[in-house]
Amino acid sequence: MKLVLIGCPGAGKGTQAKMLSKKFGIAHISTGDLLRDQMKRGTELGKKVSEIMNTGGLVSDDIVSAMLAERIKEDDCKKGYILDGYPRNVAQAEGLDDITGPLDKVICYEVADDVIVDRMTGRRSCPECGKMYHLTYNPPKTEGKCDDCGAELIQRKDDNEETVKNRLKVYHETTAPVIDYYRNKGILMTVSGVGDIEDIFNKVASALEGIN
Ligand code: AMP
């Protein structure tokens, strides 16, 4: 099964992708995570993209599509995968079938902008296991520490208010047209990204039952 998750930054794609990946036994591929990993490791590519990523702009299509094409060759992608954060513009969407073959479903998580700024500026994550928290809505049991592995929680550099607003602007101008692209192809499913995380997951998971 090949899925794409779309939604503005902070719509919950990462959280939902992790849950769907577990349920259907398919890989979760976040292009943002792949790029952050390059930055963390200090590679040439990481150095090249860090400025763009830290200010909320988009990395060039060539770089991200090449990275994706490599990633889907790995063993964990044999049964399928969930793309989280790709495609980010219509050009990437148009080229995607050449990389992956036909997609089964594109799921769009809808959340209003004012909810997003609050969600993202309070977001924290564990650098060791990737578990996500929110200072108000889902705080860790011990302040600043991961419940599962005890590591010191971090805030993503691009989760500050100014950068979040820029990422939303980029989303509306550049990524939102991708939704219509997939609606016209007849494979789009939209779901509200506001409410209980399990309820949102169940709605999508039941719509996907029966797809191999
Ligand atoms: P994300 O973790 O999906 O919010 O992505 C974080 C940042 O990585 C974005 O703000 C972009 O700078 C970059 N990025 C991730 N995916 C893409 C993509 N498909 N195309 C261009 N830039 C991307």
Side-chain angles (χ1 to χ4, degrees):
M1 174 156 57
K2 292 172 189 164
L3 305 175
V4 162
L5 306 193
I6 297 192
C8 57
K13 300 183 299 294
T15 303
Q16 295 292 327
K18 283 192 185 77
M19 295 164 85
L20 291 166
S21 153
K22 203 166 157 197
K23 159 108 183 153
F24 293 103
I26 55 178
H28 167 203
I29 303 176
S30 155
T31 45
D33 282 349
L34 293 177
L35 290 163
R36 276 185 290 279
D37 183 55
Q38 294 283 337
M39 293 200 318
K40 204 167 143 190
R41 290 192 284 124
T43 64
E44 279 310 307
L45 180 72
K47 284 179 201 148
K48 206 163 152 184
V49 301
S50 69
E51 166 92 34
I52 300 172
M53 289 190 60
N54 290 339
T55 50
L58 289 187
V59 173
S60 85
D61 294 349
D62 290 353
I63 291 180
V64 192
S65 59
M67 210 176 58
L68 177 68
E70 281 309 304
R71 176 65 184 87
I72 62 168
K73 287 182 192 156
E74 289 178 32
D75 275 356
D76 64 334
C77 295
K78 287 213 170 84
K79 273 184 71 188
Y81 38 82
I82 302 164
L83 303 185
D84 159 13
Y86 195 101
R88 277 292 225 279
N89 58 35
V90 173
Q92 289 182 6
E94 284 170 348
L96 185 57
D97 276 13
D98 289 340
I99 303 174
T100 59
L103 301 168
D104 293 294
K105 212 62 166 176
V106 174
I107 301 139
C108 175
Y109 296 91
E110 296 180 318
V111 183
D113 281 12
D114 51 352
V115 179
I116 292 295
V117 177
D118 181 39
R119 264 194 195 182
M120 294 185 76
T121 52
R123 190 156 81 159
R124 298 292 181 274
S125 64
C126 174
E128 298 299 327
C129 69
K131 189 165 176 163
M132 304 290 293
Y133 298 87
H134 189 282
L135 295 182
T136 314
Y137 309 118
N138 177 27
K141 291 192 184 89
T142 308
E143 200 183 318
K145 300 258 191 263
C146 178
D147 292 350
D148 290 352
C149 62
E152 197 79 33
L153 299 181
I154 54 165
Q155 179 177 31
R156 265 172 58 168
K157 267 209 176 118
D158 57 355
D159 275 351
N160 66 76
E161 187 162 344
E162 193 190 343
T163 308
V164 168
K165 286 187 172 154
N166 190 39
R167 288 164 69 196
L168 281 171
K169 186 167 170 274
V170 169
Y171 175 77
H172 289 297
E173 288 173 2
T174 314
T175 310
V178 174
I179 299 169
D180 281 333
Y181 176 85
Y182 286 120
R183 186 176 286 118
N184 292 336
K185 283 194 152 214
I187 54 171
L188 184 78
M189 168 186 181
T190 54
V191 62
S192 168
V194 182
D196 186 68
I197 289 173
E198 288 286 338
D199 288 346
I200 300 168
F201 165 71
N202 287 333
K203 259 185 221 154
V204 174
S206 54
L208 296 175
E209 290 293 352
I211 300 178
N212 285 316

